[in-house]
């Protein structure tokens, strides 16, 4: 099973990759780890495949690039070896029960670069988990954005994508978040009351979400407490099992 974590900077991808991997190992599974972040310095897991073996953003910055330019340039250079990475990750997946792929801290580097798209297109049935943190969910429209962005990830890289609220150990009233994220009808009814142009746009978008999005449930995860790890394991199994779905 190939499991890919994607999310904005600070959403907890790398920490969660290490924590969920340890959870699986403690459950008796063999786990392989893939690091695709050329700019990361320390990792909470031992990577079996690591793009830093070929190039790092830090090395490119020594050539005179700025931080953002160095990261983009690093993936320009990695693109020449994307087929080798597909082969390496696929072979690792044949040897391990799970392969966890940790993507770059800057999500756009992976989603908007050909390296990320071609890599994911070449892998056998990866499951993507789109992570978003509670601190970006302030208004009803924010919840609509998060649900829709998960669909955009699915569209961009062509993988089944499950939305996941991360860092739930920092949330005081998780039921409020669940109500907005789990019940699209409730979210849509709240958006209908928003008087702004933004609210109207979010209302129209969320009204179409049940028709556009494949059925899947939202995950609620904490790398600190391990909450939701059993649900994530179940979801991964359902993704690879012909008898299951992600509802």
């Amino acid at each position: 099973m190939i499991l890919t974590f994607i999310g904005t900077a600070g959403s907890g991808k790398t920490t969660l990759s290490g924590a969920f991997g340890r959870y699986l190992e403690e459950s008796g599974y063999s786990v392989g780890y893939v690091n695709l972040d050329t700019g990361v310095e320390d990792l909470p897991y031992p990577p079996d495949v690591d793009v830093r073996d070929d190039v790092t953003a830090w090395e490119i910055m020594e050539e005179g690039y700025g931080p953002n330019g160095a990261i983009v340039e690093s993936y320009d250079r990695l693109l020449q070896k994307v087929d080798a990475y597909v082969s390496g990750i696929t072979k690792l997946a044949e040897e391990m029960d799970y392969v966890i792929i940790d993507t770059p801290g800057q999500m756009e580097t992976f989603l908007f670069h050909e390296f990320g798209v071609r890599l994911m297109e070449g892998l056998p049935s990866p499951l993507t988990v789109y992570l978003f943190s509670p601190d970006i969910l302030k208004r009803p429209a924010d919840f609509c954005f998060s649900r829709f962005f998960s669909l955009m990830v699915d569209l961009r890289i062509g993988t089944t994508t499950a939305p996941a609220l991360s860092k739930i150990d920092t949330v005081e009233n998780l039921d409020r978040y669940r109500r907005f994220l789990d019940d699209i009808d409730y979210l849509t009814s709240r958006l209908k009351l928003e008087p702004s142009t933004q609210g109207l746009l979010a209302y129209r978008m969320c009204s179409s979400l049940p028709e556009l999005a494949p059925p899947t449930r939202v995950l609620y995860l904490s790398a600190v407490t391990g909450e939701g790890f059993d649900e994530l394991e179940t979801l991964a199994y359902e993704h690879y099992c012909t008898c299951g779905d992600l509802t």
Side-chain angles (χ1 to χ4, degrees), residues 8-227:
T8 54
S11 61
K13 296 181 297 295
T14 298
T15 303
L16 190 62
S17 294
F20 185 61
R22 289 190 297 273
Y23 164 84
L24 292 172
E25 290 170 341
E26 291 170 358
S27 299
Y29 295 106
S30 58
V31 181
Y33 298 91
V34 177
N35 170 52
L36 297 181
D37 192 344
T38 61
V40 69
E41 293 186 272
D42 299 313
L43 293 171
Y45 55 82
D48 298 278
V49 176
D50 193 343
V51 291
R52 298 176 302 173
D53 292 338
D54 288 314
V55 64
T56 70
W58 311 106
E59 294 168 341
I60 295 177
M61 286 176 65
E62 293 177 358
E63 300 176 18
Y65 287 81
N68 292 331
I71 291 174
V72 173
E73 175 65 19
S74 68
Y75 290 99
D76 287 344
R77 299 181 188 184
L78 286 172
L79 182 59
Q80 305 169 28
K81 302 181 179 180
V82 66
D83 291 336
Y85 279 103
V86 169
S87 298
I89 296 171
T90 300
K91 182 179 179 181
L92 185 63
E94 293 171 352
E95 299 170 350
M96 299 291 183
D97 296 319
Y98 282 85
V99 171
I100 294 177
I101 300 179
D102 183 17
T103 60
Q106 292 181 325
M107 180 175 62
E108 64 274 16
T109 305
F110 188 75
L111 286 180
F112 301 151
H113 198 285
E114 190 179 356
F115 173 81
V117 175
R118 285 181 54 183
L119 179 79
M120 297 305 292
E121 288 178 343
L123 296 178
S125 302
L127 173 65
T128 298
V129 177
Y130 164 58
L131 298 174
F132 51 95
S133 57
D135 56 353
I136 71 168
L137 303 176
K138 305 298 184 184
R139 303 158 300 174
D142 299 331
F143 291 86
C144 177
F145 173 83
S146 295
R147 288 302 306 267
F148 235 92
F149 201 89
S150 177
L151 184 61
M152 294 299 99
V153 172
D154 193 323
L155 177 64
R156 174 62 179 165
I157 60 177
T159 67
T160 298
T161 303
L165 180 65
S166 63
K167 301 183 178 181
I168 62 171
D169 54 284
T170 66
V171 173
E172 292 184 2
N173 185 5
L174 184 59
D175 287 341
R176 173 181 177 273
Y177 290 86
R178 284 184 176 274
R179 190 170 188 186
F180 277 102
L181 291 170
D182 292 340
D183 191 341
I184 295 298
D185 290 336
Y186 174 77
L187 175 58
T188 303
S189 67
R190 287 295 304 272
L191 288 168
K192 192 174 183 179
L193 302 175
E194 295 288 320
S196 64
T197 302
Q198 182 186 41
L200 177 60
L201 175 60
Y203 168 72
R204 289 175 174 173
M205 290 175 64
C206 268
S207 296
S208 65
L209 192 59
E211 180 181 355
L212 296 175
T216 184
R217 58 189 180 274
V218 179
L219 296 166
Y220 298 88
L221 305 172
S222 170
V224 175
T225 66
E227 189 172 354

